[in-house]
Amino acid sequence: MELRRGGMGSQAVGGRRMDGDGRDGGGGGGGGSKDAGAEDYENLPTSASLSTHMTAGAMAGIMEHMVMYPVDSVKTRMQSLNPDPKAQYTSIYGALKKIVRTEGFWRPLRGINVMVMGAGPAHAMYFACYEKMKRTLNAVFHHHGNSHIANGIAGSMATLLHDAVMNPAEVVKQRMQMYNSPHPSALGCIRSVWRTEGPRAFYRSYTTQLTMNVPFQSIHFITYEFLQEQLNPHRGYNPQSHIVSGGLAGALAAAATTPLDVCKTLLNTQENMALNLANVSGRLTGMANAFRTVYRLNGLPGYFKGIQARVIYQMPSTAISWSVYEFFKYFLTKHKLESRAPY
């Protein structure tokens, strides 16, 4: 992503990118309409610092999960394989309305604290690793441009760090989101899981999480870069195109990986009613066992439970994440430059 300002389809303003790609904005005839904002973008260095990437990434992750958390709560419940009759929903709005009416106004936000605590460091490492690997791999695959393959691989590699931090938070968060959850607090949930299932329970779905997020990130970045080429061919900093491209890329990736998300939810929540119905004794472990259990209980449609909520969650989530990240990356870098400037 670049940090030069421009509208969708507008002429690019020549300048340098902060992601390490030194291509010009391209296109003739665009240099005569520079405004003050464009001049500021041009004066930025080609690469932001590690601390800038980490801070911007942390802000993006926290904002993304805080804004979309109520929808995430609904998604978790709609993916239940054998839901309680009182927790059966047909739409996101209907689900939120019913949860607030029957369980209290703050119920859709239960577990948000542990998610915020995990999202900050997870996204900080994710974006820092992604930016570093993207620059390195682009130099290998495509010396003078932007390689879709490099971006996909960089995103997949960054996922390893992101999920290592987020997986325990996901386990606690999803158990607190479930209907009739016995866990009123995040700390109580952590203690209960640790005491009854051991520390391995926090990473029981890690392989499934990686198996889901590696293709998710590959689809996401390849689609995002393709849409950027269509909507923002000069690759200028363009909030509108980042939002549209990010939202559509996130929606497509979310829909394609919903079966894996359903299996991850089952492994995280260890849904008792569903496991009893499937004659599973003890704890369900392993992606293959989760796939078999989902099919045994609900057949092929079971793999797509909650797909509507997942897509509706992911579209604005991805758009928020990228727009917030790019804003803070630009703001922090500009602030550092201004603080070093002589008076």
Side-chain angles (χ1 to χ4, degrees):
M1 290 189 180
E2 304 164 29
L3 291 178
R4 282 175 285 116
R5 181 174 291 169
M8 269 196 198
S10 66
Q11 293 295 320
V13 178
R16 298 166 70 188
R17 296 157 53 100
M18 281 185 60
D19 59 7
D21 186 348
R23 292 178 301 163
D24 289 337
S33 57
K34 297 180 180 179
D35 57 17
E39 294 285 358
D40 287 341
Y41 281 114
E42 288 186 352
N43 292 328
L44 292 175
T46 57
S47 179
S49 66
L50 176 65
S51 62
T52 295
H53 289 309
M54 295 188 73
T55 304
M59 295 302 298
I62 291 172
M63 184 67 70
E64 167 193 349
H65 287 285
M66 285 184 64
V67 173
M68 299 306 300
Y69 194 83
V71 179
D72 185 56
S73 295
V74 171
K75 176 184 74 71
T76 297
R77 292 195 180 193
M78 293 182 77
Q79 288 179 335
S80 174
L81 298 177
N82 189 33
D84 187 285
K86 297 179 181 179
Q88 293 181 345
Y89 315 108
T90 57
S91 68
I92 295 174
Y93 175 75
L96 283 173
K97 186 177 179 181
K98 185 175 182 180
I99 292 171
V100 170
R101 186 178 68 250
T102 60
E103 302 176 53
F105 179 79
W106 298 108
R107 184 62 181 90
L109 297 177
R110 182 183 293 181
I112 192 173
N113 55 339
V114 72
M115 204 60 186
V116 169
M117 290 175 64
H123 280 72
M125 290 191 295
Y126 173 80
F127 278 107
C129 179
Y130 171 72
E131 294 282 5
K132 173 64 176 177
M133 294 309 302
K134 184 174 73 169
R135 288 195 297 271
T136 302
L137 293 173
N138 264 298
V140 174
F141 287 103
H142 204 287
H143 294 288
H144 301 289
N146 201 25
S147 167
H148 295 324
I149 296 176
N151 293 337
I153 295 175
S156 298
M157 295 177 69
T159 299
L160 297 175
L161 291 176
H162 174 273
D163 289 2
V165 176
M166 283 298 288
N167 208 86
E170 284 276 352
V171 171
V172 175
K173 178 259 300 184
Q174 289 192 316
R175 294 196 181 206
M176 295 180 70
Q177 288 174 332
M178 294 296 289
Y179 178 76
N180 260 348
S181 171
H183 309 294
S185 69
L187 186 59
C189 181
I190 293 172
R191 288 173 175 170
S192 176
V193 173
W194 186 284
R195 183 177 63 253
T196 59
E197 303 175 45
R200 294 184 62 182
F202 294 104
Y203 284 94
R204 186 179 287 124
S205 65
Y206 185 56
T207 55
T208 301
Q209 183 98 338
L210 287 178
T211 306
M212 175 183 71
N213 281 344
V214 167
F216 176 93
Q217 296 298 347
S218 297
I219 295 171
H220 167 217
F221 283 111
I222 291 173
T223 304
Y224 177 86
E225 293 294 343
F226 171 77
L227 291 173
Q228 279 290 284
E229 290 174 354
Q230 307 305 310
L231 300 176
N232 188 20
H234 300 297
R235 311 296 288 184
Y237 175 66
N238 185 325
Q240 296 97 324
S241 72
H242 294 324
I243 290 172
V244 173
S245 299
L248 292 178
L252 178 61
T257 55
T258 294
L260 291 165
D261 193 45
V262 171
C263 294
K264 182 206 74 175
T265 299
L266 179 60
L267 289 171
N268 278 344
T269 60
Q270 296 291 307
E271 193 180 343
N272 289 327
M273 294 178 64
L275 297 184
N276 291 335
L277 194 61
N279 297 320
V280 175
S281 58
R283 302 293 174 183
L284 182 68
T285 60
M287 183 178 63
N289 290 330
F291 262 95
R292 283 193 289 268
T293 302
V294 171
Y295 185 78
R296 190 181 307 145
L297 291 174
N298 293 102
L300 289 176
Y303 294 118
F304 294 94
K305 290 181 74 70
I307 186 172
Q308 179 190 27
R310 178 165 162 77
V311 170
I312 291 177
Y313 165 82
Q314 199 62 54
M315 283 187 71
S317 178
T318 311
I320 291 170
S321 180
W322 279 110
S323 58
V324 171
Y325 172 70
E326 288 297 335
F327 169 77
F328 275 98
K329 188 168 70 171
Y330 165 69
F331 175 80
L332 292 171
T333 302
K334 184 180 178 183
H335 177 71
K336 286 182 179 180
L337 290 175
E338 291 176 344
S339 65
R340 296 172 185 169
Y343 292 97

